Amino acid sequence: MGNIVAIVGRPNVGKSTFFNRLIQRREAIVDSVSGVTRDRHYGKSDWNGRNFSLIDTGGYVVGSDDIFEAEIDRQVELAIEEADAIIFMVDVESGVTPMDEDVAQLLRKVDKPVLLAVNKVDNNKRLENAVEFYSLGLGEYFPIASTNGSGTGDLLDALIAALPVNEAEEETELPRFAVVGRPNAGKSSFINALIGEERYIVTDIAGTTRDAMDTRYNRFGFEFNLVDTAGIRRKSKVKEDLEFYSVMRSVRAIENSDVCLLILDATRGFDGQVQNIFWLAQRNRKGIVILVNKWDLVEDKKTNTMKEFEAMIKREIEPFTDVPVIFMSVLTKQRIFKAIETAVKVFENRSKKIKTRELNDVMLPIIEQNPPPAYKGKYVKIKFCTQLPTPQPQFAFFCNLPQYVRDPYKRFIENKLRNEFDLTGVPISVYFRKK
């Protein structure tokens, strides 16, 4: 399983800015008002070939009367318990504060790597002032400036060295299918219907499933591991400690799956939270099958209702629209085996290895007929392509001027790859490199 790194500290020390720099996109809200990060943000990052998940926790405050602060404090403590390593961020401008000392006292009791990052160190004077953070009793510190990235390389080097190397899990070579979605969408009922027994507690109470659990499925010629994840709620709705654990483990289950079966409630639609789960799976380059459950409960269905619903989903997930959508009912077992057949096919697509000769025989004539448009008077000539040796389909196209290949042409190449080699349900990556 992947490593989890928690970023903790009091409010307004720059955790969100640091988080955004590591994941290379502005997902967390960054604001100078204390306490803006009321919940956690999740992201993936990598350094020196090691991938890890990041959690930007809310600012830690001790003794606050604010009900939100009390909740944030508990969530921070849970993140520390669940994480494999902790980055404790402080602010050289403010110096050592009583809150910093409270957090340090908490972290000194933790039996896992803790790295002290002193933020906003952007000149020599502040570098001298950072010495006072030795008083926190956490050993060496790392002076950084999250706004411009200064010092983050040394911090990440130390982080990777400190992260535990996960013991290799028993290699079953079985595909892992993660069943994901909002609470009460029918995930546990779906697995119960597949395996023919009441393996999971099923109630109308959202969040009954508290943890990610594996079930080996071996019926009708299919064999794989099913992972039932706890329902992922909107972050503002995460109140209970156990449910916060569930969210973190759901994220981890997605990251360590091959295919995600995204179940949604047809009566609620493809709402923002379901879309967030979809994009989480897509960013992790997982195969995806969308399962529209409770289709039998949709009223006033007409001839084109199913097509219109699918078209609505495809609009929301553009430009990655090559995703199978299955309409089913777990209650009546309508199309649930079709869902599994489709998931197995998506897994096969994700595992597909295309021979270099075959790839070139197919793609080079297409490229010759549809070359990249000239850009700034420069003509790109693509001479060779190959599939990279990665777990999911990634392709490299070698040319003379890769910097002049624009995004629309990359999407054109991706669509041609999908059409020619059947990569439905699989996010693919296309790179243009210097010949």
Side-chain angles (χ1 to χ4, degrees), residues 309-318 321-325:
F309 199 102
E310 181 174 352
M312 177 273 295
I313 291 175
K314 295 294 179 74
R315 285 194 300 271
E316 296 293 343
I317 62 176
E318 289 179 345
T321 58
D322 188 19
V323 178
V325 179

Side-chain angles (χ1 to χ4, degrees), residues 6-13 15-16 19 28-29 34-42 55-62 68-80 87-89 99 103 106 244:
I7 308 171
V8 304
R10 58 183 172 78
N12 212 25
V13 296
K15 297 189 305 299
S16 295
F19 171 86
I29 301 169
S34 175
V36 167
T37 308
R38 289 291 195 186
D39 49 16
R40 292 130 324 270
H41 300 276
Y42 307 96
I55 304 171
D56 169 28
T57 62
Y60 190 90
V61 180
V62 177
F68 287 105
E69 299 292 7
E71 176 66 17
I72 289 168
D73 290 355
R74 182 59 186 143
Q75 303 293 0
V76 170
E77 291 173 4
L78 286 169
I80 290 171
I87 295 175
F88 174 28
M89 187 167 288
M99 282 189 220
V103 178
L106 177 70
F244 178 47

Side-chain angles (χ1 to χ4, degrees), residues 249-299:
R249 287 167 183 168
S250 296
V251 171
R252 183 174 279 188
I254 289 173
E255 292 177 346
N256 291 280
S257 66
D258 298 300
V259 177
C260 293
L261 303 176
L262 174 54
I263 297 186
L264 63 98
D265 184 336
T267 63
R268 301 182 65 172
F270 194 67
D271 60 19
Q273 185 63 7
V274 178
Q275 292 175 37
N276 289 340
I277 301 169
F278 173 87
W279 291 116
L280 177 64
Q282 186 272 340
R283 286 200 302 270
N284 281 279
R285 322 309 289 170
K286 305 303 178 183
I288 304 174
V289 180
I290 297 174
L291 305 180
V292 183
N293 189 26
K294 306 183 185 180
W295 189 244
D296 54 315
L297 300 181
V298 175
E299 299 177 355

Side-chain angles (χ1 to χ4, degrees), residues 343-356:
V344 170
K345 176 59 177 171
V346 169
F347 172 77
E348 292 172 350
N349 291 347
R350 186 172 184 266
S351 308
K352 188 172 293 184
K353 304 300 179 186
I354 304 168
K355 293 181 179 178
T356 299

Side-chain angles (χ1 to χ4, degrees), residues 32-275:
S32 60
V33 179
S34 175
V36 167
T37 308
R38 289 291 195 186
D39 49 16
R40 292 130 324 270
H41 300 276
Y42 307 96
K44 284 185 70 67
S45 189
D46 64 89
W47 187 257
N48 291 344
R50 286 283 297 276
N51 295 311
F52 53 91
S53 299
L54 280 168
I55 304 171
D56 169 28
T57 62
Y60 190 90
V61 180
V62 177
S64 170
D65 293 330
D66 187 341
I67 188 172
F68 287 105
E69 299 292 7
E71 176 66 17
I72 289 168
D73 290 355
R74 182 59 186 143
Q75 303 293 0
V76 170
E77 291 173 4
L78 286 169
I80 290 171
E81 291 176 21
E82 184 71 7
D84 298 300
I86 300 105
I87 295 175
F88 174 28
M89 187 167 288
V90 293
D91 174 3
V92 73
E93 285 185 347
S94 304
V96 177
T97 69
M99 282 189 220
D100 293 332
E101 292 173 345
D102 289 331
V103 178
Q105 184 176 359
L106 177 70
L107 293 176
R108 284 196 296 269
K109 302 174 185 176
V110 174
D111 186 22
K112 56 186 64 176
V114 176
L115 291 88
L116 177 60
V118 182
N119 195 21
K120 305 180 185 178
V121 181
D122 50 13
N123 58 50
N124 288 333
K125 179 63 175 175
R126 291 184 171 183
L127 185 60
E128 295 174 3
N129 293 340
V131 175
E132 69 172 303
F133 288 95
Y134 275 121
S135 66
L136 293 176
L138 294 171
E140 292 291 332
Y141 62 85
F142 296 87
I144 68 168
S146 58
T147 53
N148 61 25
S150 173
T152 55
D154 291 339
L155 173 60
L156 291 174
D157 284 342
L159 173 66
I160 296 305
L163 280 176
V165 177
N166 293 312
E167 295 293 330
E169 296 183 7
E170 182 182 354
E171 289 294 333
T172 62
E173 296 186 355
L174 288 180
R176 285 176 56 84
F177 295 171
V179 183
V180 298
R182 293 191 64 167
N184 215 23
K187 298 183 298 300
S188 296
S189 298
F190 174 66
I191 292 182
N192 286 339
L194 282 176
I195 64 178
E197 61 184 69
E198 294 298 313
R199 167 70 186 272
Y200 297 101
I201 300 171
V202 179
T203 73
D204 292 331
I205 302 171
T208 302
T209 307
R210 293 297 194 183
D211 208 346
M213 301 174 66
D214 279 26
T215 301
R216 179 168 293 193
Y217 182 90
N218 188 1
R219 301 179 71 185
F220 308 109
F222 297 124
E223 186 173 10
F224 49 83
N225 281 326
L226 275 171
V227 185
D228 179 24
T229 60
I232 304 176
R233 292 192 184 185
R234 291 183 184 276
K235 292 170 186 172
S236 61
K237 299 289 182 67
V238 177
K239 297 296 182 186
E240 302 173 39
D241 295 347
L242 280 174
E243 194 165 338
F244 178 47
Y245 272 124
S246 298
V247 171
M248 294 180 65
R249 287 167 183 168
S250 296
V251 171
R252 183 174 279 188
I254 289 173
E255 292 177 346
N256 291 280
S257 66
D258 298 300
V259 177
C260 293
L261 303 176
L262 174 54
I263 297 186
L264 63 98
D265 184 336
T267 63
R268 301 182 65 172
F270 194 67
D271 60 19
Q273 185 63 7
V274 178
Q275 292 175 37

Side-chain angles (χ1 to χ4, degrees), residues 397-403 432-435:
F397 288 77
F398 294 89
C399 57
N400 58 334
L401 298 167
Q403 67 272 28
F432 288 83
R433 295 178 175 172
K434 186 76 173 177
K435 185 177 66 172

